[in-house]
Amino acid sequence: AQSVTQPDIHITVSEGASLELRCNYSYGATPYLFWYVQSPGQGLQLLLKYFSGDTLVQGIKGFEAEFKRSQSSFNLRKPSVHWSDAAEYFCAVDNQAGTALIFGKGTTLSVSS
Amino acid sequence: DTEVTQTPKHLVMGMTNKKSLKCEQHMGHRAMYWYKQKAKKPPELMFVYSYEKLSINESVPSRFSPECPNSSLLNLHLHALQPEDSALYLCASSQAQGGDYGYTFGSGTRLTVV
């Protein structure tokens, strides 16, 4: 069965510093990959998604992610973090087999001033 | 309309109560999903409906009973819940099950069982 791993439970970044959140997936073929953000008490907001084509994907709020098939990774990046980026970030995979979206355990991002 | 609307936003119910959660979308999506999210945890899939038929049931206890009366509406009927069922219940929809369509999530119903 497919799975997605987010190795970092909690990351703290200084405001203005760059950010990279890691995501690894386990699946035989190329899955559909997603990054979501969730603020406390809120629903899920889609940051970006990868289905096929260009492996560097641009999303909202200045985020981007790069799909690397050789490393089974889909890491999320942002060049300069803002305090409002503090939230929970979930990587998710859809295995194209008609199941549904499966989430990683999430990474909590804290932003220090 | 590009939204998934969930009502109510908050619900407090006793263990003997019967209540329902509602999810509605008018995007013409034919797949709809219920997820349960406990605090500090990722969303966990509960049910999937495809073309108004139950497609996936992730071994959810029978005290949770989904219903899809039409292609725009998905309900989750609750009966005899336990305090550990307190969670954020998220509804999502996609154009169809599988495929490169993406998912749209509602803002959730925060359920507290007392």
Side-chain angles (χ1 to χ4, degrees):
Chain A
Q2 78 283 3
S3 65
V4 58
T5 302
Q6 294 179 247
D8 304 306
I9 297 174
H10 192 176
I11 284 182
T12 299
V13 176
S14 298
E15 190 170 15
S18 64
L19 169 71
E20 183 170 32
L21 301 182
R22 295 183 291 165
C23 173
N24 294 98
Y25 66 90
S26 172
Y27 183 55
T30 300
Y32 299 140
L33 295 159
F34 305 78
W35 274 100
Y36 285 87
V37 61
Q38 186 176 37
S39 296
Q42 302 298 311
L44 295 166
Q45 182 179 24
L46 178 67
L47 289 175
L48 45 78
K49 57 183 184 270
Y50 175 77
F51 293 149
S52 65
D54 192 347
T55 56
L56 185 61
V57 181
Q58 301 298 319
I60 64 171
K61 303 184 177 186
F63 286 92
E64 67 177 26
E66 186 171 13
F67 170 65
K68 293 186 177 180
R69 185 190 306 274
S70 61
Q71 299 176 19
S72 297
S73 69
F74 188 57
N75 294 346
L76 182 72
R77 301 192 294 248
K78 187 171 185 177
S80 178
V81 169
H82 188 262
W83 64 267
S84 60
D85 293 323
E88 190 78 16
Y89 290 79
F90 292 102
C91 182
V93 61
D94 180 342
N95 71 356
Q96 306 180 35
T99 54
L101 207 55
I102 305 300
F103 290 86
K105 293 188 183 297
T107 298
T108 302
L109 174 65
S110 298
V111 180
S112 61
S113 56
Chain B
D1 187 353
T2 59
E3 290 186 346
V4 172
T5 302
Q6 291 189 244
T7 54
K9 293 193 181 304
H10 300 274
L11 177 63
V12 179
M13 61 183 291
M15 290 187 284
T16 59
N17 291 161
K18 288 184 180 181
K19 297 287 185 183
S20 296
L21 309 185
K22 180 181 174 181
C23 173
E24 199 164 7
Q25 56 87 15
H26 297 285
M27 296 177 281
H29 289 178
R30 302 312 299 267
M32 296 185 75
Y33 310 79
W34 279 116
Y35 284 84
K36 174 183 178 180
Q37 185 179 24
K38 301 282 283 184
K40 306 291 187 183
K41 298 290 186 183
E44 295 180 338
L45 183 66
M46 300 176 72
F47 302 104
V48 180
Y49 271 82
S50 179
Y51 289 86
E52 295 103 73
K53 295 191 186 305
L54 184 64
S55 171
I56 295 176
N57 177 342
E58 291 286 349
S59 302
V60 177
S62 59
R63 58 185 183 268
F64 295 91
S65 176
E67 178 198 20
C68 190
N70 59 59
S71 61
S72 300
L73 189 57
L74 182 66
N75 298 319
L76 185 63
H77 302 298
L78 314 172
H79 173 54
L81 295 192
Q82 303 297 309
E84 59 265 30
D85 297 321
S86 298
L88 180 68
Y89 288 84
L90 293 164
C91 175
S93 71
S94 63
Q95 189 170 333
Q97 192 177 359
D100 58 348
Y101 303 117
Y103 298 79
T104 303
F105 279 84
S107 57
T109 294
R110 186 158 300 280
L111 174 68
T112 303
V113 182
V114 297

